[in-house]
Amino acid sequence: MNACSPAPRTAMILAAGLGTRLRPLTDRMPKALVPFEGVPMIQRLMVRLREAGFTRAVINVHHFADMLEDFVRSHGGFGLEVEFSDERDLLRDTGGGIRHAVMSGLIGDEPVLVHNVDIITEGIDPGAFFNKIADNAKNPAAALLVSDRRASRYLLADSDGMLRGWVHPAKGIFKSTGSASRTPVQGPVPADPHAMPGCTPLAFSGIHILTPTALQLLRPWPEIFSVIDFYLDIAEEHPVCCISAPPDAVITDIGKLSELR
């Protein structure tokens, strides 16, 4: 790359899941190839990322991995430079999947946008979100795109937008930031998290950015873990910010049959 060439912008697409919420469709294909409005999820997302200015995609694969790889390659990566993070041996969850790509050398020392393959958005520019964090000299360790939509689980942000916890009201589970985050904190959890004092409950979009700081902090973690647990763990000492989507944005999880239809 010459001195005048722009730095490559990398996105990691989490596409290795079994897609259990989409059965029986995923009994014969990977979740990423399930069509939405006639277009496979992976194609829709990769085209959107290319249009947003991303030049490279790392895609983790597990369930029907060969089928997904063949589809993407047969379409020339939809205009992106593509590498696959092979998880055929073990499904590593969200955090473990990102770490595996880092440890395999597929993600280097540059910010990376992570995007769940089954998230469809309207009114959100992933390139602008990326630039807001990657081009900031005082950027946080990670940035999570959130909204005020109703959800079953919520991130908890303080008045400055910094991550301070996670709550699953229906199961009565609350996790705080810091080293104890992977162990549920016992205590009363309001059925309505909006009633929790001091923090604002926000729904995670499945779209987030890890800076080189966060990528390095991933390395000592085990093979399998949730990226939310990772964020909660590091947020005590390294800023993890929650960035709200525009008020008119629409974020849809098409990883379940009810939304897909």
Side-chain angles (χ1 to χ4, degrees), residues 21-212:
R21 296 180 301 163
L22 287 173
R23 286 176 177 164
L25 298 177
T26 48
D27 289 338
R28 59 181 184 273
M29 70 176 74
K31 173 173 63 176
L33 291 187
V34 172
F36 176 70
E37 296 181 346
V39 181
M41 293 183 193
I42 190 73
Q43 177 177 344
R44 181 180 293 272
L45 177 54
M46 292 183 73
V47 169
R48 184 173 180 83
L49 290 171
R50 185 196 70 219
E51 292 174 345
F54 289 87
T55 56
R56 181 171 175 267
V58 176
I59 307 170
N60 69 339
V61 294
H62 173 81
H63 187 55
F64 288 108
D66 291 349
M67 189 181 296
L68 179 53
E69 289 180 353
D70 289 346
F71 177 80
V72 172
R73 288 181 177 129
S74 70
H75 288 80
F78 300 99
L80 298 172
E81 176 190 343
V82 177
E83 294 189 74
F84 295 97
S85 183
D86 194 338
E87 294 187 40
R88 287 173 175 84
D89 63 326
L90 180 67
L91 191 58
R92 291 172 168 82
D93 205 343
T94 51
I98 300 167
R99 176 188 176 275
H100 184 66
V102 171
M103 301 302 287
S104 301
L106 299 176
I107 295 176
D109 191 25
E110 71 277 342
V112 60
L113 176 87
V114 179
H115 200 303
N116 289 3
V117 73
D118 54 6
I119 295 297
I120 297 291
T121 64
E122 297 177 24
I124 293 173
D125 181 351
F129 174 52
F130 182 85
N131 291 340
K132 184 174 184 178
I133 303 303
D135 295 341
N136 186 347
K138 297 182 179 180
N139 55 22
L144 287 59
L145 188 66
V146 298
S147 71
D148 59 1
R149 63 192 173 95
R150 301 294 297 182
S152 60
R153 296 159 291 182
Y154 295 91
L155 300 174
L156 299 174
D158 65 16
S159 58
D160 294 321
M162 294 294 109
L163 180 67
R164 291 292 175 251
W166 176 94
V167 63
H168 193 320
K171 293 187 177 180
I173 299 175
F174 167 72
K175 297 183 181 183
S176 63
T177 56
S179 59
S181 65
R182 280 166 281 171
T183 302
V185 177
Q186 300 301 315
V189 177
D192 181 2
H194 294 79
M196 298 186 75
C199 287
T200 301
L202 298 162
F204 181 41
S205 68
I207 304 170
H208 41 127
I209 297 168
L210 289 88
T211 68

